[in-house]
Amino acid sequence: MKAMTRIIFVDDAGEKFFGEGPCRLLRGVQETGSLRASAMQMGMSYTKALKLIRNAENALGFPLTMRTTGGRDGGGSRLTPEGEEWLGRYEAYRDACVQANREIYREFFPGQR
């Protein structure tokens, strides 16, 4: 037996707009320089990835990524400074919640791992 902690952000209407999926997608954009490549690594269509990012951007009120169109050097994406800050804060908050949950779990369920 174990407890799981999942951090999901919802808007005022209760609609999910950010969690592990968009987090992984943005980390992939940082690594690959491409939303399309990040989506492919996750087995996700580009259309769905773009929808996830736009939904989060609308809820947050700022852009998470900057996109450049193709050309001689090809297009790509990268995180905005606000996107980098949001992602870092999300991950730090998520990690702190996971750690706190571990400690609470041990308190209520001693002897369990």
Side-chain angles (χ1 to χ4, degrees):
M1 172 173 77
K2 69 179 182 176
M4 302 261 320
T5 303
R6 290 194 177 133
I7 303 302
I8 299 168
F9 282 84
V10 297
D11 60 20
D12 291 337
E15 297 294 320
K16 177 182 171 181
F17 72 86
F18 203 87
E20 280 305 301
C23 175
R24 288 180 47 219
L25 193 59
L26 291 176
R27 279 292 169 216
V29 169
Q30 279 188 317
E31 293 169 10
T32 65
S34 166
L35 181 60
R36 185 176 306 277
S38 179
M40 285 179 58
Q41 286 179 345
M42 293 178 64
M44 179 186 301
S45 73
Y46 173 74
T47 306
K48 181 175 180 176
L50 188 57
K51 183 178 176 183
L52 283 173
I53 297 303
R54 285 187 176 158
N55 185 43
E57 289 174 339
N58 287 335
L60 291 167
F62 56 84
L64 295 168
T65 62
M66 292 182 276
R67 300 176 254 311
T68 56
T69 55
R72 194 180 85 211
D73 298 323
S77 293
R78 67 179 197 263
L79 298 188
T80 62
E82 296 90 352
E84 286 186 24
E85 180 182 351
W86 166 260
L87 187 57
R89 292 175 74 182
Y90 168 81
E91 290 176 325
Y93 176 69
R94 176 203 61 203
D95 295 348
C97 288
V98 168
Q99 182 59 37
N101 184 48
R102 281 187 195 125
E103 292 168 15
I104 294 167
Y105 178 79
R106 280 181 275 205
E107 179 182 331
F108 283 89
F109 301 98
Q112 299 289 323
R113 38 178 178 132

